[in-house]
Amino acid sequence: MKLSLSIPWMDFSAAGKASAEVKKLLARLGIEQGLVKRIAIAMYEGEMNIAIHGGGGTADIELTPDLVDIYLRDHGPGIPDIGLAMTEGYSTASEEIRNMGFGAGMGLPNMKRNADELYIESVVNQGTTVHLVFHLNRKQE
Amino acid sequence: MKVSEIVEVLSARVYAGEDQLDLDVQSACGADLMSDVMAFVKESVVLLTGLMNPQVLRTADLMDIKAIVFVRGKVPSSDLVQIAKDSGMILLTTKYSMFLACGRLYEAGLHGGGIREIA
């Protein structure tokens, strides 16, 4: 099963809708509640990153009997130093974004905490792809 | 603690979810940073916040948070109230500051837990 959703740039009335949609879909498919929540959190963080930093992009979700794969792609400025971006508290978000309750520098670390596997490919001035993998049959605290 | 008790302790006004005040919450989370809410909340909590925008409700919805209290007497717009009603959430406001609202709930017996352990 495949699903492709677009994530608009700086549209905060829309940001988070793709994740909410995926969360509802996965719950309807009977996937365990804790796993659904982990997927929703990780995807929402990615969605906000694309809306805030990435200039908009797409979320492609692929569901197989064993895995949920989520590819979050944007054509934004890219991440020059992924190691630094993975540091809790590090953020390049503007004051405006912080006033909305985001930009705390918890996004990528939170995605890592919630996903079973996380892969980031980023090229400066070309964009970023974040690949989140969730195992359907493996228990995680 | 039942949300109906929270309404009483905080002298709160109910804007949405009047029919769900029997809901039980294990703990509370006081935060204006939704990123932190997503990073730390684990269990069923009531969210106290001074931030008022649709992202608060969207974050709460994703985190399975069913009750939100806006502190410092902030009045939610009709749009926010509608989103809360559509999502089946309880929306409260209290005139207490964040500090006093959290303190009153703690004093009334709503204690810690609900968030992951911080190293």
Side-chain angles (χ1 to χ4, degrees):
Chain A
M1 181 180 200
K2 286 184 182 180
L3 186 66
S4 189
L5 299 163
S6 78
I7 301 168
W9 183 44
M10 288 290 178
D11 177 356
F12 294 105
S13 61
K17 279 190 179 170
S19 311
E21 197 174 315
V22 168
K23 185 184 181 200
K24 275 188 199 135
L25 173 75
L26 296 176
R28 240 191 348 255
L29 291 172
I31 292 171
E32 186 252 323
Q33 198 184 357
L35 178 57
V36 171
K37 197 164 160 180
R38 283 202 287 124
I39 294 170
I41 292 170
M43 187 174 159
Y44 185 44
E45 292 281 15
E47 196 180 343
M48 290 306 291
N49 278 349
I50 289 176
I52 292 168
H53 302 287
T58 53
D60 290 289
I61 298 99
E62 196 172 340
L63 186 65
T64 65
D66 301 318
L67 296 173
V68 177
D69 277 298
I70 300 177
Y71 290 90
L72 298 155
R73 295 186 178 93
D74 70 56
H75 299 288
I79 305 171
D81 185 337
I82 292 176
L84 188 58
M86 291 301 297
T87 310
E88 285 196 2
Y90 176 80
S91 174
T92 57
S94 67
E95 193 61 31
E96 183 198 356
I97 298 300
R98 287 169 202 255
N99 287 341
M100 292 186 57
F102 291 90
M106 300 301 286
L108 283 173
N110 208 17
M111 287 163 86
K112 188 179 179 188
R113 191 175 302 117
N114 282 287
D116 291 319
E117 296 171 44
L118 169 77
Y119 305 97
I120 304 172
E121 279 177 31
S122 190
V123 179
V124 172
N125 295 327
Q126 286 188 29
T128 301
T129 298
V130 174
H131 179 198
L132 300 163
V133 183
F134 299 88
H135 300 269
L136 287 175
N137 301 317
R138 192 191 294 170
K139 287 264 174 200
Q140 186 190 314
E141 214 289 298
Chain B
M1 180 183 281
K2 285 197 187 301
V3 175
S4 54
E5 284 177 77
I6 293 174
V7 171
E8 208 168 298
V9 169
L10 298 181
S11 307
R13 186 168 165 196
V14 184
Y15 279 86
E18 296 87 346
D19 54 340
Q20 298 173 69
L21 301 183
D22 256 1
L23 180 83
D24 223 352
V25 293
Q26 304 302 312
S27 187
C29 171
D32 287 348
L33 276 175
M34 293 304 109
S35 308
D36 275 354
V37 172
M38 287 203 290
F40 294 107
V41 169
K42 269 190 80 176
E43 288 158 25
S44 107
V45 301
V46 54
L47 173 65
L48 294 99
T49 185
L51 190 69
M52 191 170 278
N53 62 38
Q55 296 307 323
V56 173
L57 299 186
R58 203 156 279 151
T59 304
D61 194 25
L62 282 168
M63 298 301 295
D64 298 325
I65 294 171
K66 301 290 182 205
I68 300 172
V69 182
F70 292 117
V71 297
R72 301 192 286 275
K74 295 189 176 187
V75 177
S77 66
S78 53
D79 285 359
L80 286 190
V81 172
Q82 196 53 52
I83 296 175
K85 285 183 175 168
D86 292 346
S87 314
M89 277 182 202
I90 303 168
L91 216 58
L92 311 175
T93 64
T94 177
K95 287 186 176 167
Y96 290 110
S97 66
M98 176 71 95
F99 175 71
L100 287 177
C102 292
R104 288 181 74 89
L105 288 179
Y106 193 90
E107 203 173 46
L110 195 60
H111 291 167
I115 65 165
R116 72 179 170 85
E117 203 172 318
I118 299 166

